[in-house]
Amino acid sequence: MENKVITVTSPLLPSLDDFLPYLQDIWNRKWLTNNGYYHKELEKALCDYLKVPYVSLFTNGTLPLMCALQALRITGEVITTPYSFVATTHSLWWNGIKPVFVDIDPETCNIDPLKIEAAITPKTTAIMPVHVYGKPCNTERIQQIADKYGLKVIYDAAHAFGVEVNGQSVLAAGDISTLSFHATKVYNTIEGGALICHDKKIKERIDYLKNFGFAGETTIIAPGINGKMDEVRSAYGLINLKQVDAAIESRRQVALQYRNALQQVKGIRFMEDVLGVRHNYSYFPIFVNSQEYGMTRDELYFKMKENSVLGRRYFYPLISEFSTYRGLESARPENLPVAHRIADSVICLPMHHGIQKYEIERILSFIIR
């Protein structure tokens, strides 16, 4: 038991007994993709669960970002965060848009609204924030800035499935939000994603764009791509939706155990729940102050790894450090001091619905000294 590898996450899987009748029905229908029965059912079910008007399903979580930029006709420069998964900024690059990085808030790890205005130029057309670890951005302040300068707001909400603020979905903010349903996420369709919008015409345009631009049998209205989700993953997603609340509650219990054990450990900081927010506990990051803790982040990370506990340094290195982006003026380290400090101190501990108490104790044994 001691040698068992503890992974940073584990997928939420539907029961095979539940899944097989869906597969049999798909086989009977012989309709595997192109807006099939289960695809439509999942879009409707997600609208209800997420409390949003329009959902467009995608085959992964990157393509909705790319299509959002196309649908809103974003060009020029977009202000974004260096502290995220690379897909956030890659979606800009693939659309020929220049990313402009600004620093992050040290408490939330989200884009710092106080730094946005100074980065706006005549070429700025949008802001692309990320709800990092599922913690909501300061959406109200970001919208005030966007309205003042006439900018669009596209939220990368890959981590924020089911997150609500005072009873309202965090996906209601901005012009468009996107989700990832990758296997590592709280809710997954193996691979998959979605785009959330608030306007029927945008929803129609998105659905054209993800299907090569087809608006009819012989009509192409835009140079679209192939981003459709198939029937098998749509059915899988319908079943997983029934058990995601229980999975989130299990994750909450894991977070409570971590917090109770780590609150007295000098040099280790973690995030608390925010009043009025329904969290999804997608990650449990800790931040290591090496001077107070007596060990660097990397020393702790590799100590855990050597003992088969696989935490992850999410997000290290910063996107702005990668070769594609490091030459940008906004990527200079002196412009992003907080992001660099956080990236150099973070470890996301193993967090998922199925983690056992003895595994949590083993993880903590390498952190509590």
Side-chain angles (χ1 to χ4, degrees):
M1 193 73 73
E2 283 297 312
N3 293 323
K4 180 186 174 186
V5 174
I6 301 177
T7 54
V8 71
T9 190
S10 183
L12 180 65
L13 289 163
S15 158
L16 280 176
D17 289 339
D18 290 339
F19 195 24
L20 287 173
Y22 285 78
L23 290 177
Q24 184 63 61
D25 188 50
I26 292 168
W27 260 239
N28 292 341
R29 291 174 184 273
K30 296 182 173 61
W31 189 306
L32 298 182
T33 187
N34 277 4
N35 200 29
Y37 173 78
Y38 288 108
H39 181 282
K40 293 174 183 174
E41 288 297 299
L42 182 56
E43 285 196 342
K44 287 189 287 188
L46 285 170
C47 282
D48 290 342
Y49 181 89
L50 297 170
K51 303 178 183 178
V52 297
Y54 301 106
V55 169
S56 293
L57 290 173
F58 279 80
T59 193
N60 60 51
T62 304
L63 290 174
L65 284 170
M66 295 174 66
C67 283
L69 293 161
Q70 286 282 324
L72 297 179
R73 297 178 171 87
I74 303 302
T75 59
E77 297 177 357
V78 170
I79 294 170
T80 190
T81 173
Y83 193 77
S84 179
F85 185 62
V86 290
T88 307
T89 307
H90 283 354
S91 69
L92 297 170
W93 203 259
W94 274 76
N95 276 285
I97 296 164
K98 180 182 178 181
V100 176
F101 299 112
V102 301
D103 212 354
I104 64 174
D105 179 274
E107 297 301 315
T108 65
C109 299
N110 291 327
I111 194 168
D112 187 345
L114 298 176
K115 303 292 174 63
I116 292 175
E117 280 194 85
I120 295 173
T121 75
K123 295 181 180 179
T124 307
T125 55
I127 308 168
M128 185 181 279
V130 179
H131 300 296
V132 178
Y133 308 131
K135 303 286 183 182
C137 292
N138 187 340
T139 56
E140 186 175 337
R141 182 68 188 113
I142 290 169
Q143 194 61 51
Q144 288 172 353
I145 296 168
D147 290 343
K148 180 179 177 180
Y149 292 93
L151 307 176
K152 299 293 187 182
V153 182
I154 299 169
Y155 281 100
D156 182 340
H159 308 170
F161 182 88
V163 173
E164 297 178 1
V165 181
N166 298 322
Q168 184 179 41
S169 173
V170 74
L171 304 173
D175 296 280
I176 285 175
S177 293
T178 67
L179 291 167
S180 170
F181 300 152
H182 186 267
T184 57
K185 297 296 188 286
V186 170
Y187 168 82
N188 82 87
T189 58
I190 304 175
E191 281 274 10
L195 183 149
I196 290 83
C197 61
H198 322 297
D199 178 84
K200 186 178 180 181
K201 288 185 178 179
I202 293 292
K203 157 73 171 166
E204 289 175 352
R205 180 166 173 79
I206 291 296
D207 287 347
Y208 296 151
L209 284 172
K210 75 175 184 184
N211 187 29
F212 305 101
F214 277 107
E217 188 176 345
T218 58
T219 304
I220 297 285
I221 57 107
I225 55 176
N226 184 7
K228 304 183 299 295
M229 181 182 284
D230 60 75
E231 287 291 87
V232 173
R233 282 185 287 174
S234 298
Y236 176 110
L238 275 169
I239 307 170
N240 254 358
L241 195 58
K242 297 174 183 177
Q243 60 180 2
V244 71
D245 283 343
I248 290 171
E249 175 56 25
S250 295
R251 286 169 171 267
R252 188 179 76 86
Q253 294 299 326
V254 175
L256 289 174
Q257 292 177 68
Y258 279 145
R259 287 173 185 158
N260 289 337
L262 294 173
Q263 59 185 340
Q264 301 301 327
V265 180
K266 193 174 181 182
I268 298 291
R269 179 175 74 85
F270 53 81
M271 292 177 164
E272 298 281 4
D273 285 357
V274 179
L275 189 66
V277 174
R278 184 211 183 211
H279 295 279
N280 66 7
Y281 306 94
S282 52
Y283 298 84
F284 193 90
I286 62 171
F287 305 93
V288 182
N289 181 323
S290 57
Q291 288 187 327
E292 293 182 1
Y293 185 62
M295 184 184 292
T296 67
R297 184 277 306 275
D298 282 351
E299 286 171 338
L300 176 58
Y301 169 77
F302 286 111
K303 175 185 173 184
M304 292 166 58
K305 191 172 183 179
E306 287 162 9
N307 287 279
S308 300
V309 175
L310 306 182
R312 284 291 183 272
R313 292 170 291 182
Y314 292 148
F315 292 95
Y316 168 86
L318 297 174
I319 299 173
S320 53
E321 290 288 282
F322 293 120
S323 58
T324 307
Y325 308 112
R326 71 166 69 111
L328 297 171
E329 176 68 21
S330 64
R332 293 171 61 178
E334 56 266 36
N335 296 328
L336 307 166
V338 177
H340 276 274
R341 176 164 56 82
I342 295 295
D344 289 342
S345 66
V346 69
I347 303 177
C348 283
L349 300 185
M351 164 61 83
H352 57 84
H353 64 287
I355 197 165
Q356 301 296 308
K357 186 176 180 181
Y358 77 88
E359 292 177 308
I360 294 171
E361 290 172 351
R362 188 171 142 214
I363 294 160
L364 291 168
S365 72
F366 299 114
I367 302 171
I368 300 171
R369 308 168 70 203

